[in-house]
Structure formats: C-alpha cells, structure tokens
C-alpha cells in the first residue's frame, strides 16, 4: 500500500505541477514513446536473465507492493516450532524427533505451525539442521560456518531481482534518449511542415527523455529498493533460526535458546520475553505451573 501511495503522490505532484505552470497535460501522453522505452527495457531484461529469474521478479514486485514481511505472529510460530523440537530432543531423544523432521508435512508437531509449513524452504532449513544436531558429530563452529554460508547464499538468490531491476533503472535514462532521438528523426522527416506541427513532433520527442528519467528514478529505482528491504526482512527469519540453534547446540536450555533468537528480530517486530514465553510454551502444549517453574530453573 505504501508503494502505491508513494507513486500516486509522485505522479500527482508531477502532473499537477506541470498543469499549474500552464503546461498542457495531454502533451505528456505519448504512448509510442512509452512503448519504445518500456518495451526495450522489458526485452533487454528478458535477454539478460533466465526465465525463472524473470518470474521471480514478478513475485518480488508483488511482495514489495503487499509489504510481505514476516509478522510478529509468524515469528511466534518460528520460535514455537523450534522450542517444540528442542524440547522433544532434550526430553525424549533422537527417535521421537526423527519422525517429525523426516516427514514434517505429516507431523502433528509441525501441523501446529501452519505458516512455517507454508514456507517449504524454511521448513527444509529447520529440518536439515536438526538432523545435524541429531548426528551429534559436528562442532558448533562448523555448524555456524555452514549456517552462515547457506543463509548468505539464500539471501543472494533472493536479492537477484533487486540487482537486476537496479540495472534496468540505470539504463532507463539512456533508453529515454533513444526514444527522443527517434522522435527527432521523425520530426526531421517533417521539416517542411508548419512550425506548429514540427513543434508538436519535437515536444513528443522530448517526452521520451522525460519518461526515461522519471521511470528510472521515480518508479523502477524505488521499487527495487523496496524489494531489497522486503526480502532482507524475510531472510531475518533464518537468522532467528540460526541463533536459536547455535545456543541450543552450545548447551542452552530450549527456553534460553529462544531468547537468543528473539534478540535478532528487528526492534519494530520484536516481542517481549513474556510474550515469547507464553506463545511458545502454550503452543507446544506444555503450559502448566510446574513446567513453567522447571523451565525457569533450567534456564
């Protein structure tokens, strides 16, 4: 919504200011100039990127428009499934947890956390690292290095639309000049016509330069930055998983390990300690006064 509001303000200010100066707004409507600029931009984008990447760009744009970032409720579910798995591993051992991580989509434990299951990559990520914990041979620093490598690669892949659209944004002013040059060529072909007609052709050509710069700095550039911010926030969930698991591997109790994960949540979405305790412990089906005291003593 904020993206659409910003675009409306930008376009409204531009057209309103032009009209207030005495300009004729209809002159700005040059559809064939837009076809040249935007069509060439789309064509070169498809040339430069694989089909999967082009499709992901569309997904990334829609995520940016919807501001599809993890909500506090989603963080609660992520912390909840981590707590439940850590509790199962600590209290019941390897055999009990294997059935959950081998078939998460059939697991009653994972079934309590639908937003985690809805993200197949995140579910696989969690299960893979619990398998490493079960094996028990990897050192914590080795697991940490592997986590950093995988999260870094994941984020790099998720940011590809940002980098690709950034390149398009940089190219759009030049494509605007191309459209303007073609408009001037058209005008030169009518050099023997009346000054009024010739002036209209030249004005239409200059709209190409204007449109290229406008789409670069007021549309594509801001949208690419919004994509970057959105997908970096989405990747923050993996950092939460990383810090929680590392604390658990290093001997922290499940409830304490959750605090390590909570601390890396962005301040604007970060829940309080009490909220995390209530949501995760009750979500795991273990909220009783005796268990609460046992968890706090273990912490």
């Amino acid at each position: 919504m904020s993206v659409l509001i910003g675009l409306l303000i930008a376009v409204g200010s531009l057209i309103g200011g032009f009209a207030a100066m005495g300009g004729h707004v209809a002159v700005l409507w040059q559809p064939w100039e837009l076809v040249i600029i935007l069509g060439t931009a789309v064509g070169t984008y498809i040339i430069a990127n694989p089909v999967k990447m082009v499709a992901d760009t569309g997904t990334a744009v829609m995520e940016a428009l919807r501001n599809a970032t993890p909500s506090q409720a989603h963080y609660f579910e992520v912390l909840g499934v981590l707590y439940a798995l850590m509790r199962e591993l600590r209290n019941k051992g390897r055999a009990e947890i294997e059935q959950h991580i081998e078939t998460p989509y059939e697991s009653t434990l994972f079934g309590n956390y639908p937003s985690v299951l809805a993200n197949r990559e995140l579910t696989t990520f969690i299960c893979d690292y619990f398998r490493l914990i079960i094996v028990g041979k990897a050192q914590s620093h080795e697991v940490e290095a592997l986590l950093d490598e995988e999260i870094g690669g994941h984020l790099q892949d998720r940011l590809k639309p940002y980098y690709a659209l950034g390149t398009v944004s940089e190219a759009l002013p030049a494509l605007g000049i191309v459209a303007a040059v073609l408009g001037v060529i058209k005008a030169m072909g009518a050099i023997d016509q009346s000054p009024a007609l010739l002036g209209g052709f030249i004005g239409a050509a200059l709209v190409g330069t204007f449109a290229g710069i406008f789409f670069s700095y007021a549309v594509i550039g801001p949208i690419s930055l919004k994509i970057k911010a959105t997908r970096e926030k989405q990747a923050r969930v993996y950092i939460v998983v990383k810090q929680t698991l590392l604390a658990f591997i290093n001997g922290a109790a499940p409830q304490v390990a959750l605090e390590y994960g909570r601390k890396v949540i962005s301040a604007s979405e970060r829940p309080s300690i009490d909220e995390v305790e209530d949501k995760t412990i009750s979500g795991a089906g273990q909220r009783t006064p005796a268990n609460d005291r046992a968890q706090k003593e273990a912490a």
Side-chain angles (χ1 to χ4, degrees):
M1 182 61 71
S2 61
V3 175
L4 295 178
I5 292 173
L7 285 174
L8 287 174
I9 293 173
V11 174
S13 299
L14 185 147
I15 294 176
F18 181 69
M21 291 190 301
H24 299 287
V25 176
V27 175
L28 297 178
W29 177 242
Q30 301 295 335
W32 295 115
E33 294 281 331
L34 297 179
V35 169
I36 293 170
I37 297 168
L38 299 181
T40 304
V42 171
T44 54
Y45 191 82
I46 292 173
I47 292 171
N49 299 286
V51 175
K52 185 177 180 180
M53 167 69 178
V54 174
D56 188 43
T57 301
T59 302
V61 170
M62 293 306 299
E63 288 175 352
L65 292 176
R66 294 186 291 106
N67 194 32
T69 57
S71 63
Q72 192 175 88
H74 182 60
Y75 281 119
F76 280 136
E77 289 208 10
V78 172
L79 292 172
V81 74
L82 292 174
Y83 175 81
L85 289 169
M86 291 186 295
R87 185 204 64 205
E88 290 286 306
L89 182 58
R90 175 159 289 196
N91 295 340
K92 299 182 181 179
R94 173 176 176 173
E96 291 293 331
I97 196 174
E98 274 187 333
Q99 62 181 328
H100 298 299
I101 63 175
E102 293 298 333
T103 56
Y105 292 95
E106 300 172 9
S107 165
T108 54
L109 186 152
F110 274 94
N112 293 324
Y113 308 97
S115 72
V116 175
L117 281 179
N119 187 335
R120 185 172 293 272
E121 288 185 4
L122 178 61
T123 301
T124 302
F125 182 82
I126 292 171
C127 292
D128 285 348
Y129 284 95
F130 267 97
R131 286 192 189 94
L132 285 179
I133 294 174
I134 288 174
V135 170
K137 294 181 180 179
Q139 300 296 316
S140 62
H141 67 274
E142 295 174 334
V143 176
E144 182 175 8
L146 185 58
L147 280 162
D148 288 338
E149 186 69 24
E150 184 169 355
I151 292 171
H154 170 79
L155 182 58
Q156 186 176 12
D157 286 340
R158 297 286 287 168
L159 290 181
K160 284 180 179 178
Y162 158 69
Y163 293 115
L165 285 178
T167 302
V168 172
S169 177
E170 293 173 357
L172 277 171
L175 294 178
I177 293 173
V178 170
V181 169
L182 291 176
V184 171
I185 292 172
K186 175 185 174 183
M188 291 299 100
I191 196 70
D192 58 339
Q193 300 297 317
S194 66
L197 183 61
L198 189 60
F201 287 157
I202 294 174
L206 292 175
V207 168
T209 303
F210 146 74
I213 296 172
F214 176 78
F215 278 104
S216 173
Y217 294 106
V219 181
I220 304 300
I223 288 177
S224 68
L225 289 174
K226 183 68 174 180
I227 288 172
K228 180 176 184 287
T230 299
R231 293 209 152 172
E232 284 179 341
K233 284 188 176 182
Q234 292 174 350
R236 177 59 53 179
V237 175
Y238 292 83
I239 307 296
V240 172
V241 175
K242 168 194 165 184
Q243 295 302 124
T244 303
L245 290 183
L246 287 177
F248 182 66
I249 291 171
N250 286 320
Q255 189 172 359
V256 176
L258 289 187
E259 179 62 9
Y260 282 80
R262 185 188 75 87
K263 283 294 188 180
V264 296
I265 299 174
S266 300
S268 57
E269 290 94 19
R270 184 188 303 152
S272 68
I273 297 174
D274 291 337
E275 288 174 326
V276 169
E277 184 175 344
D278 289 341
K279 296 288 185 179
T280 55
I281 293 178
S282 62
Q286 295 293 317
R287 185 148 183 85
T288 66
N291 284 336
D292 281 352
R293 286 195 298 272
Q295 288 290 342
K296 289 177 181 177
E297 290 172 2

